[in-house]
Amino acid sequence: MSVPTATALSQHIADVPLIDQHVHGCWLTAGDRQRFENALNEANTEPITYSGFDSQLGFAVRAYCAPLLGLPRHVDAHTYWERRREFAEAEVARVFLRGANVTDWLVDTGFAEGVAGVDEFAAACGGRVHEVVRLEQVAEQAAQAPGDYAAAFEEILHRRAATAAGTKSILAYRGGFDGDLTEPPAAHVAEAAERWRDSGGVRLRDRVLLRFGLHQALRLGKPLQFHVGFGDRDCDLHKTNPLYLLDFLRKSGDTPIVLLHCYPYEREAGYLAQAFNNVYVDGGLSINYLGARAPAFIARLLEMAPFSRVVYSSDGFGPAELHFLGATLWRKGIHRALQQFVDAGDWSEADAIRVVDLIARDNAARIYRVD
Amino acid sequence: MSVPTATALSQHIADVPLIDQHVHGCWLTAGDRQRFENALNEANTEPITYSGFDSQLGFAVRAYCAPLLGLPRHVDAHTYWERRREFAEAEVARVFLRGANVTDWLVDTGFAEGVAGVDEFAAACGGRVHEVVRLEQVAEQAAQAPGDYAAAFEEILHRRAATAAGTKSILAYRGGFDGDLTEPPAAHVAEAAERWRDSGGVRLRDRVLLRFGLHQALRLGKPLQFHVGFGDRDCDLHKTNPLYLLDFLRKSGDTPIVLLHCYPYEREAGYLAQAFNNVYVDGGLSINYLGARAPAFIARLLEMAPFSRVVYSSDGFGPAELHFLGATLWRKGIHRALQQFVDAGDWSEADAIRVVDLIARDNAARIYRVD
Amino acid sequence: MSVPTATALSQHIADVPLIDQHVHGCWLTAGDRQRFENALNEANTEPITYSGFDSQLGFAVRAYCAPLLGLPRHVDAHTYWERRREFAEAEVARVFLRGANVTDWLVDTGFAEGVAGVDEFAAACGGRVHEVVRLEQVAEQAAQAPGDYAAAFEEILHRRAATAAGTKSILAYRGGFDGDLTEPPAAHVAEAAERWRDSGGVRLRDRVLLRFGLHQALRLGKPLQFHVGFGDRDCDLHKTNPLYLLDFLRKSGDTPIVLLHCYPYEREAGYLAQAFNNVYVDGGLSINYLGARAPAFIARLLEMAPFSRVVYSSDGFGPAELHFLGATLWRKGIHRALQQFVDAGDWSEADAIRVVDLIARDNAARIYRVD
């Protein structure tokens, strides 16, 4: 391994505290090795039949997480697992969360099975925690509430959002972006809500109600995050091309819209960030899963998107390694990309340091008002 | 910044005069800073709410245009702007156009609001200027002409094309490539023309008439340029995937078809250049907007496309920085890409120099007959 | 050209014998220069009107094949051709096939016009040869057989597959992946077969019968290869995005599914390999055609796909240069990609060596049972 010379840029990147603008809880209770290895595979919804360590993410865990457990870099998978299980899960969480150098975590509470709630997470990480409210969960709460669905949705959304940093949509998992995303008339909403309530009111897939929720979120005005691209195979990846959001974005006004993950559509997402004053992009989940290939991805995120329109997140869920590794791989990747721009004479080092600050925290602090 | 050793290849690239095979006029009259900063954003059709300098293009302006105004590389945006406004716009144009080392400019005259006409441009650049006739403008002229639409279109096209280098279509902005692109029967053309004339005959979006125009251009035989991919948000980017042109290309005969810009579909475009003897690709507009990331894009353009099927353009419009920067970033990018091929032992240096000549001018000179 | 230091990794890659898991016969009879140059262009189905040498593949032939004919690297095209024609075609084949260091060749016998059959190929290469049975050919044989089509298909498939390593589908060329791929009911199959037989029973494009064949192959359980992406222009490239296979894969059980070539959808294909325990990816044909750009492509194949889910092939057809060059460019490309991971500290060298073995042969040996 070559040892790069420390520069003002590399030092700045190593030190800058981050805002992780989209994350989930981490595990706090013990689990077996199968749970851990499956957590290193995002896309497969079945038990994997091979080692989850045999992937870019698995190799990155061995390279960068091992030292925090007192192990050498690149330690073998078996030794990593054996060492990890010597610690209580809460202790693992404490070590990795605090190792990430993140000051503010924006936690999506819409899916939290088996992971820390907001308060537990706050205790473990030692930083500030802000909630992100998932719109489909608000819908499911409104379906169970008495009276008019639309009024219930609006009431719950405003109540929950009052103390939250923003909202999030998983439309990508509920039919995809392709098709009409205009605001539905009230009568259609009422009919759709009645149908959905009659059928149990769980796992919202009704397009009318999904559209209704999005427009309520626009009206709220807090940043609205979209899951875009890479996720598990329940989602039809080809229906999550963010370009299908064009008509929606054309009518989205000033509400910040944040496109998360984006793989393999990060160039399309960057284009949208240039095309609309209110659109932001984030590599999210993809960075962890790309491991050694994350620098190439991060560089592509820096193509068409204005630098004031790029933010950071880990999308960590489950093993706290992911919350730490997201930050670590982002630091490595942004350094590789920007140092290359500087070395080529395309950017000054001061340019690079300024862009690091924008992405690491300034852009997120501004739109989420968390500083 | 590392100082690369001068090689025969780097020297050749620095010196080779270019044919800019798709460009627009530059500004000749003074404007304010908002005009300038918006001109650094292609996709957004509204006034941008942040600095246009905070982008790859903005950083590239500061890095490579500043020295031509007597400023240091990477000078801050404010100083750049203050210095620039000390010059008359026509003087700025003269400096940057002549700095590009371009012998022939092929000017698309279809949209020229606020920019130099062909004669003014010729005076400013000191090179040879050739017109590219926009088909949708010919259609609008035919709509205003008396008598049969098809005959009028044909007459105007042939008259204008007699002194022009080629034609251009912005079908990408008028419904996209997806769908039928066969030649419509005469009766359909007549009906569509009547409908369109009745509705005013402006901003052609009628599919029948768009198809008619394309097939007239094929029949003309001069190179036909297509806007492909990256542009402003009026265009549905996902409908400009050039693969939707496959059926059209299968029937396009020998007329050279030039795919412009192509981002993020440059690999698809390169494939088409391999698949059809008459298809050419060009990074155009994308190169300026990618700035420090242009080398990666240029390298991707050199994947599937035969080297006799790649051409160069800046697509400059407005600030003459863009006409200069296109050339500068292309030179830097092609050098980075080809030097890497040579260093890896994949190409000889003589191979690389020959390919530079093909793309810089030989391919364009051949199909446009401008040498 | 820089001379990289030999490392344990580079030595291992240079020496590792490969399994070429998808290949066709090579020429054994003499042909003219036009035949050779057209064989350097995959996508164009017409005689090319320029030199086939002016491409990444053509440059790679001159760089890496020339030495095996006793010529210097990068020798000019004319000299290469003149030297090549001094040898009998069978001698050319012997030289290049044996130069590839491939132990096992899996030969798709579905299209073999003008090239060696399995036995001739075995004699020329000196390695083990295993057949891959093309499903559309089985269908055409069943169409010509007497009696019930479905029974005939099943009988022929089982008989031929008994000694074969796997099956292959060219659905990409027969309508694409978009649309229903569920198993059709027996009555529909019988009707469709009758229609097809009545119309001659050649060149299967009937969707019902294509679907029938795929599900028979799933039931067989041997690996099923799909042509994906890059190929000749008879295929609508945009209809071969492997994401359209999602519904089919969701019901594909345990039968290994191998996605071949994949350009420009290699990242989508890698995602599918993460999403399904039974999906594998292979750069195939694309690696030869990308030449100096193959390393970037190979690196993208190593993004989302688990390392136990990546295999190697050359897809050589015609000139035996392609069978050799596939191996040579893969070795160069995987070295470039992995050495970069090691140099960056992301992987250990032992990691890299292990992944080389997985892709070079272990993964293929396991699913095809050829070791």
Side-chain angles (χ1 to χ4, degrees):
Chain A
M1 182 194 162
S2 65
V3 183
T5 322
T7 60
L9 176 60
S10 67
Q11 198 56 55
H12 189 78
I13 291 171
D15 294 342
V16 63
L18 306 179
I19 294 176
D20 187 336
Q21 64 101 37
H22 182 79
V23 71
H24 302 262
C26 57
W27 292 330
L28 292 179
T29 53
D32 62 11
R33 183 164 171 176
Q34 177 75 30
R35 179 182 76 159
F36 185 75
E37 296 216 11
N38 253 298
L40 302 181
N41 180 314
E42 172 71 17
N44 201 339
T45 50
E46 297 185 352
I48 56 174
T49 57
Y50 49 87
S51 173
F53 278 105
D54 277 347
S55 62
Q56 290 286 7
L57 173 52
F59 280 25
V61 165
R62 291 172 36 241
Y64 300 112
C65 297
L68 274 77
L69 301 182
L71 296 167
R73 274 187 163 207
H74 312 299
V75 68
D76 67 280
H78 179 73
T79 305
Y80 185 87
W81 172 251
E82 289 302 316
R83 175 73 171 160
R84 188 189 198 282
R85 62 192 292 229
E86 290 172 14
F87 297 92
E89 194 71 38
E91 177 60 13
V92 171
R94 208 192 58 84
V95 166
F96 285 115
L97 295 183
R98 292 175 189 233
N101 193 14
V102 167
T103 59
D104 295 80
W105 308 80
L106 276 63
V107 178
D108 170 6
T109 54
F111 182 73
E113 209 175 286
V115 297
V118 167
D119 292 342
E120 294 167 307
F121 192 81
C125 72
R128 289 184 293 268
V129 174
H130 317 265
E131 190 180 1
V132 172
V133 177
R134 195 180 281 196
L135 295 172
E136 292 76 12
Q137 192 188 47
V138 170
E140 284 152 16
Q141 293 171 331
Q144 306 306 326
D148 180 62
Y149 172 84
F153 185 100
E154 213 173 326
E155 187 276 325
I156 297 167
L157 177 64
H158 279 82
R159 179 162 41 78
R160 293 188 57 187
T163 56
T167 61
K168 178 191 178 191
S169 166
I170 55 163
L171 177 63
Y173 281 99
R174 304 294 173 90
F177 300 154
D178 198 5
D180 181 14
L181 290 173
T182 58
E183 184 161 19
H188 293 192
V189 174
E191 283 164 35
E194 194 180 329
R195 270 197 312 274
W196 186 40
R197 280 170 163 174
D198 286 350
S199 73
V202 292
R203 198 172 160 81
L204 177 64
R205 287 188 69 91
D206 182 277
R207 192 78 177 180
V208 170
L209 300 184
L210 287 161
R211 288 158 51 200
F212 170 76
L214 292 177
H215 286 272
Q216 290 299 315
L218 286 185
R219 205 160 277 134
L220 182 72
K222 294 201 172 185
L224 165 56
Q225 304 177 341
F226 276 93
H227 178 105
V228 174
F230 182 52
D232 75 50
R233 75 193 207 199
D234 281 350
C235 134
D236 284 338
L237 192 60
H238 52 299
K239 297 184 184 164
T240 69
N241 184 328
L243 295 178
Y244 291 132
L245 293 174
L246 266 167
D247 279 333
F248 178 78
L249 296 174
R250 286 177 180 127
K251 310 278 174 141
S252 63
D254 296 331
T255 300
I257 309 272
V258 184
L259 308 176
L260 305 172
H261 322 315
C262 297
Y263 187 92
Y265 305 113
E266 69 277 6
R267 301 200 297 160
E268 286 82 349
Y271 167 80
L272 294 173
Q274 179 179 140
F276 296 92
N277 284 318
N278 62 319
V279 172
Y280 294 75
V281 293
D282 172 24
L285 180 62
S286 314
I287 294 173
N288 263 338
Y289 278 87
L290 289 167
R293 285 288 298 166
F297 174 77
I298 290 170
R300 286 193 298 267
L301 274 176
L302 298 175
E303 295 191 347
M304 291 295 176
F307 306 131
S308 56
R309 296 303 183 261
V310 185
V311 290
Y312 163 76
S313 80
S314 70
D315 196 41
F317 179 97
E321 278 95 338
L322 299 181
H323 303 71
F324 165 78
L325 201 55
T328 301
L329 291 174
W330 181 82
R331 290 180 204 274
K332 279 188 65 81
I334 198 92
H335 179 244
R336 178 94 62 87
L338 302 196
Q339 191 66 54
Q340 199 171 23
F341 299 161
V342 172
D343 290 346
D346 295 321
W347 292 25
S348 71
E349 191 174 54
D351 287 337
I353 288 173
R354 198 172 137 259
V355 169
V356 166
D357 286 340
L358 288 174
I359 303 175
R361 53 185 306 108
D362 294 355
N363 292 334
R366 189 178 69 246
I367 60 172
Y368 295 107
R369 307 184 180 180
V370 297
D371 245 7
Chain B
M1 184 197 161
S2 64
V3 183
T5 322
T7 60
L9 175 61
S10 68
Q11 198 56 55
H12 189 79
I13 291 171
D15 294 342
V16 65
L18 307 179
I19 295 176
D20 187 336
Q21 64 100 37
H22 183 79
V23 72
H24 302 262
C26 57
W27 291 331
L28 292 179
T29 54
D32 63 10
R33 182 162 172 177
Q34 177 76 30
R35 180 182 76 159
F36 186 75
E37 296 215 11
N38 253 297
L40 302 181
N41 180 314
E42 172 72 17
N44 201 338
T45 50
E46 297 185 352
I48 55 175
T49 58
Y50 50 87
S51 173
F53 278 104
D54 278 347
S55 62
Q56 290 286 8
L57 172 53
F59 281 26
V61 165
R62 292 172 37 242
Y64 300 111
C65 298
L68 274 75
L69 300 182
L71 297 167
R73 274 188 163 209
H74 312 299
V75 67
D76 67 280
H78 179 73
T79 305
Y80 185 87
W81 172 252
E82 290 302 318
R83 175 74 172 159
R84 189 189 197 284
R85 60 192 294 226
E86 290 173 13
F87 298 92
E89 193 72 37
E91 177 61 11
V92 171
R94 209 192 57 84
V95 166
F96 285 115
L97 295 183
R98 291 173 191 235
N101 193 14
V102 167
T103 59
D104 294 82
W105 308 79
L106 276 63
V107 178
D108 170 8
T109 54
F111 182 72
E113 210 175 285
V115 297
V118 166
D119 293 342
E120 294 167 307
F121 191 80
C125 72
R128 289 183 293 268
V129 173
H130 316 266
E131 190 181 0
V132 172
V133 176
R134 196 181 281 198
L135 296 172
E136 293 76 13
Q137 193 188 46
V138 171
E140 284 152 17
Q141 293 170 331
Q144 307 306 325
D148 180 60
Y149 172 84
F153 185 100
E154 214 173 324
E155 187 278 324
I156 298 167
L157 177 63
H158 278 81
R159 178 163 40 80
R160 294 188 57 188
T163 56
T167 61
K168 179 190 177 190
S169 165
I170 55 162
L171 177 63
Y173 280 99
R174 303 296 172 88
F177 300 153
D178 198 5
D180 182 13
L181 289 174
T182 58
E183 184 161 19
H188 293 194
V189 174
E191 283 165 36
E194 194 180 330
R195 269 199 313 273
W196 186 39
R197 281 171 162 173
D198 286 350
S199 74
V202 292
R203 198 172 160 80
L204 177 64
R205 287 189 69 90
D206 182 277
R207 192 79 177 178
V208 170
L209 300 183
L210 288 160
R211 288 158 51 201
F212 171 76
L214 292 176
H215 286 271
Q216 290 300 314
L218 286 185
R219 205 160 278 135
L220 182 71
K222 294 201 172 186
L224 165 57
Q225 304 177 340
F226 276 93
H227 178 105
V228 175
F230 181 51
D232 75 49
R233 76 193 208 200
D234 280 351
C235 134
D236 284 338
L237 192 60
H238 53 299
K239 296 183 184 164
T240 70
N241 185 329
L243 295 179
Y244 290 133
L245 294 174
L246 266 167
D247 279 333
F248 177 78
L249 297 174
R250 287 178 180 125
K251 310 276 173 142
S252 63
D254 295 331
T255 300
I257 309 272
V258 185
L259 308 176
L260 305 171
H261 321 315
C262 297
Y263 188 93
Y265 304 113
E266 70 277 6
R267 301 201 296 159
E268 286 84 349
Y271 167 81
L272 294 173
Q274 179 179 143
F276 296 92
N277 284 317
N278 62 319
V279 173
Y280 294 76
V281 294
D282 172 23
L285 180 62
S286 315
I287 293 173
N288 264 338
Y289 278 87
L290 289 167
R293 285 287 298 164
F297 174 77
I298 290 170
R300 285 193 298 266
L301 274 176
L302 299 174
E303 295 191 344
M304 291 295 175
F307 305 131
S308 56
R309 296 303 184 261
V310 185
V311 290
Y312 163 76
S313 81
S314 70
D315 196 42
F317 179 98
E321 278 94 337
L322 300 181
H323 303 70
F324 165 77
L325 201 55
T328 301
L329 291 174
W330 181 82
R331 290 181 204 274
K332 281 187 63 84
I334 198 91
H335 179 244
R336 178 95 63 85
L338 302 196
Q339 192 65 56
Q340 199 170 23
F341 298 161
V342 172
D343 290 346
D346 295 321
W347 292 25
S348 71
E349 191 174 54
D351 287 337
I353 288 173
R354 198 173 137 260
V355 169
V356 166
D357 286 340
L358 288 174
I359 304 176
R361 55 185 305 108
D362 295 353
N363 293 333
R366 188 178 68 248
I367 60 171
Y368 295 107
R369 307 184 181 180
V370 297
D371 246 6
Chain C
M1 183 195 159
S2 64
V3 182
T5 322
T7 61
L9 176 60
S10 67
Q11 197 56 54
H12 189 78
I13 291 171
D15 294 343
V16 65
L18 306 180
I19 294 175
D20 188 335
Q21 64 101 36
H22 183 80
V23 72
H24 303 261
C26 56
W27 291 330
L28 292 179
T29 54
D32 63 11
R33 183 162 172 178
Q34 178 75 30
R35 180 183 75 160
F36 185 74
E37 296 214 13
N38 253 298
L40 302 181
N41 180 314
E42 173 71 17
N44 201 339
T45 50
E46 297 185 351
I48 56 174
T49 58
Y50 50 87
S51 173
F53 278 104
D54 278 348
S55 62
Q56 290 287 6
L57 173 53
F59 281 25
V61 165
R62 292 172 37 241
Y64 300 112
C65 297
L68 275 76
L69 300 181
L71 297 167
R73 274 188 164 209
H74 312 298
V75 69
D76 67 280
H78 178 74
T79 305
Y80 185 87
W81 172 252
E82 290 301 317
R83 175 75 171 157
R84 188 190 198 282
R85 59 193 294 228
E86 291 172 13
F87 297 91
E89 193 71 38
E91 177 61 12
V92 171
R94 208 193 57 84
V95 166
F96 286 116
L97 295 183
R98 291 174 191 233
N101 193 13
V102 167
T103 59
D104 294 80
W105 308 80
L106 277 62
V107 179
D108 170 6
T109 55
F111 182 73
E113 211 175 285
V115 297
V118 166
D119 292 341
E120 294 167 307
F121 191 80
C125 72
R128 288 183 294 267
V129 174
H130 316 266
E131 190 181 1
V132 172
V133 176
R134 197 181 280 196
L135 296 173
E136 293 77 13
Q137 194 188 46
V138 171
E140 284 151 17
Q141 293 171 331
Q144 306 306 326
D148 180 60
Y149 172 84
F153 184 100
E154 213 173 327
E155 186 277 324
I156 297 167
L157 177 64
H158 279 81
R159 178 164 39 80
R160 293 188 56 188
T163 57
T167 62
K168 178 192 178 191
S169 165
I170 55 163
L171 177 63
Y173 280 98
R174 304 294 173 90
F177 300 153
D178 198 5
D180 181 13
L181 290 173
T182 58
E183 183 161 20
H188 293 193
V189 174
E191 283 164 35
E194 194 180 329
R195 270 197 312 274
W196 186 40
R197 281 170 163 175
D198 285 349
S199 72
V202 292
R203 197 171 162 81
L204 177 65
R205 287 189 69 91
D206 182 277
R207 192 78 177 180
V208 170
L209 300 183
L210 288 161
R211 288 158 51 201
F212 171 76
L214 293 177
H215 286 272
Q216 290 299 315
L218 286 186
R219 205 160 279 136
L220 182 71
K222 293 201 172 186
L224 165 57
Q225 303 177 342
F226 276 93
H227 178 106
V228 175
F230 181 53
D232 76 49
R233 75 194 208 197
D234 280 350
C235 134
D236 284 337
L237 192 60
H238 52 298
K239 295 183 184 165
T240 68
N241 185 329
L243 295 179
Y244 290 132
L245 293 174
L246 266 167
D247 279 333
F248 177 78
L249 297 174
R250 287 177 179 126
K251 309 276 173 139
S252 62
D254 296 331
T255 300
I257 309 272
V258 184
L259 308 176
L260 305 171
H261 322 315
C262 296
Y263 187 91
Y265 305 113
E266 70 277 7
R267 301 200 296 159
E268 287 82 350
Y271 167 81
L272 294 173
Q274 179 178 142
F276 296 92
N277 284 318
N278 62 319
V279 173
Y280 293 76
V281 294
D282 172 24
L285 180 62
S286 314
I287 293 173
N288 263 338
Y289 278 87
L290 290 166
R293 286 288 297 166
F297 174 77
I298 290 170
R300 287 193 297 267
L301 274 176
L302 299 175
E303 294 191 346
M304 291 295 175
F307 305 130
S308 56
R309 295 303 184 261
V310 185
V311 290
Y312 162 77
S313 80
S314 70
D315 196 41
F317 179 97
E321 278 95 337
L322 300 182
H323 304 70
F324 165 77
L325 201 55
T328 301
L329 291 174
W330 181 81
R331 290 180 205 273
K332 281 189 62 85
I334 198 91
H335 179 244
R336 178 95 62 86
L338 302 196
Q339 191 65 56
Q340 199 171 22
F341 299 161
V342 172
D343 291 346
D346 295 321
W347 291 25
S348 71
E349 191 174 55
D351 287 337
I353 288 173
R354 200 173 135 257
V355 169
V356 166
D357 286 340
L358 289 175
I359 303 175
R361 55 184 308 107
D362 293 355
N363 293 334
R366 189 178 68 247
I367 60 172
Y368 295 106
R369 306 186 180 176
V370 296
D371 247 6

